[in-house]
C-alpha cells in the first residue's frame, strides 16, 4: 500500500515544484516589466518632447528663412507704361517682395495713371498687392479713386488695375460723386484711363450706365 502513496506524493511534489517554477517565472517577468516599462515610457515621452521641440525649432528656422528671402522697401516707386505707351506710377509707404512669387505686398499704396497732359487718375488704399509679372495691381480696403477724365470721386472696398491696358475695375460695391451727381452701384469699370466709366448693379443697386466725358482739355 505504500508504493501508490509514494507515487502520489512524488506527483504532488512535482506539481508543486512546477507551480513554484511557473510562479518564479511570472515573478521574474513582472520584475522585468516593472524595470523596463518605466524606461520605455520615459523614452516615448522623451521622443515626443524631442519631436515637439524639433518641429518648433524647424518652424522657426523655416519662418526666418522665408523672412530672410523677403526684400523690404521703404517708400518704393514703380514706373511703367501700358500697351499704348501711357505711363503709370505705383508708390507706397512700404513694400515687401515675396521671393517665392515675386509679388510686392504694398502698405499705403498710391497709384497715378497718366492720361496725358494734366489728366491723371489717382488711386489710394490701405494696402494692396503688385503682381508685376501679370501686369496687375489689386488694392484695398478703403480705396479712393480720383478720376481725372470724368471728374468723379469713387470710393470702393477694392480696385483691380490692369497695368497693361490701364483698365480699373471692381465688383465689391462702389459709390461715386461728381459733376452729374452721385451713383451707387455693385461694380464699375474705368476704361481709357478715365475717358469712360461704366457702372452696373444688382439687387438694390440696379444702376447701369456709362459716363463718357469729353477727352479734350
Amino acid at each position: 500500500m505504500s508504493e501508490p502513496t509514494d507515487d502520489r506524493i512524488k506527483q504532488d511534489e512535482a506539481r508543486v515544484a512546477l507551480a513554484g517554477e511557473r510562479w518564479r517565472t511570472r515573478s521574474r517577468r513582472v520584475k522585468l516589466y516593472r524595470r523596463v516599462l518605466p524606461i520605455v515610457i520615459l523614452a516615448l515621452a522623451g521622443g515626443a518632447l524631442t519631436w515637439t521641440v524639433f518641429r518648433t525649432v524647424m518652424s522657426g528656422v523655416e519662418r526666418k528663412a522665408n523672412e530672410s528671402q523677403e526684400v523690404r522697401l521703404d517708400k518704393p516707386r514703380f514706373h511703367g507704361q501700358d500697351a499704348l505707351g501711357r505711363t503709370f506710377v505705383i508708390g507706397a509707404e512700404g513694400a515687401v517682395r515675396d521671393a517665392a512669387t515675386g509679388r510686392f505686398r504694398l502698405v499705403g499704396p498710391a497709384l497715378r495713371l497718366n492720361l496725358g497732359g494734366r489728366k491723371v487718375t489717382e488711386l489710394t488704399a490701405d494696402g494692396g498687392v503688385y503682381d508685376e509679372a501679370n501686369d496687375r495691381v489689386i488694392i484695398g480696403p478703403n480705396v479712393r479713386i480720383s478720376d481725372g477724365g470724368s471728374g468723379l470721386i469713387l470710393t470702393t472696398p477694392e480696385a483691380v488695375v490692369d497695368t497693361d491696358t490701364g483698365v480699373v475695375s471692381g465688383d465689391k460695391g462702389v459709390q461715386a460723386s461728381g459733376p452729374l451727381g452721385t451713383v451707387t452701384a455693385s461694380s464699375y469699370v474705368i476704361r481709357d484711363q478715365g475717358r469712360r466709366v461704366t457702372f452696373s448693379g444688382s439687387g438694390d443697386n440696379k444702376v447701369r450706365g456709362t459716363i463718357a466725358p469729353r477727352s479734350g482739355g
Side-chain angles (χ1 to χ4, degrees), residues 147 150 152 154 189-191 194-199 209-211:
D147 186 65
S150 64
L152 287 173
L154 290 77
V189 180
I190 303 174
R191 294 182 175 88
R195 291 181 175 86
R196 285 190 299 145
V197 184
T198 301
F199 298 96
T210 298
I211 297 174

Side-chain angles (χ1 to χ4, degrees), residues 31-59:
K31 290 180 180 179
L32 178 62
Y33 288 160
R34 287 177 177 175
R35 293 176 181 175
V36 172
L37 284 177
I39 297 175
V40 172
I41 292 172
L42 288 175
L44 291 175
L49 179 62
T50 300
W51 176 251
T52 301
V53 173
F54 174 75
R55 287 305 307 161
T56 301
V57 172
M58 288 305 297
S59 297

Side-chain angles (χ1 to χ4, degrees), residues 68-82:
S68 66
Q69 293 176 358
E70 293 181 340
V71 178
R72 298 180 180 274
L73 304 174
D74 185 35
K75 297 187 180 302
R77 291 174 67 85
F78 306 95
H79 298 262
Q81 291 184 333
D82 66 11

Side-chain angles (χ1 to χ4, degrees), residues 82-148:
D82 66 11
L84 298 179
R86 297 171 298 196
T87 63
F88 66 85
V89 179
I90 303 171
E93 291 297 317
V96 178
R97 183 181 184 276
D98 189 326
T101 63
R103 298 172 182 169
F104 290 89
R105 297 196 304 274
L106 306 175
V107 178
L111 286 69
R112 291 172 60 88
L113 308 179
N114 189 5
L115 298 174
R118 293 178 296 174
K119 292 187 176 180
V120 176
T121 297
E122 298 182 342
L123 304 91
T124 60
D126 292 345
V129 176
Y130 177 30
D131 187 351
E132 186 176 12
N134 293 309
D135 300 317
R136 188 170 66 167
V137 184
I138 301 176
I139 61 173
N142 297 325
V143 180
R144 185 180 186 276
I145 304 173
S146 175
D147 186 65

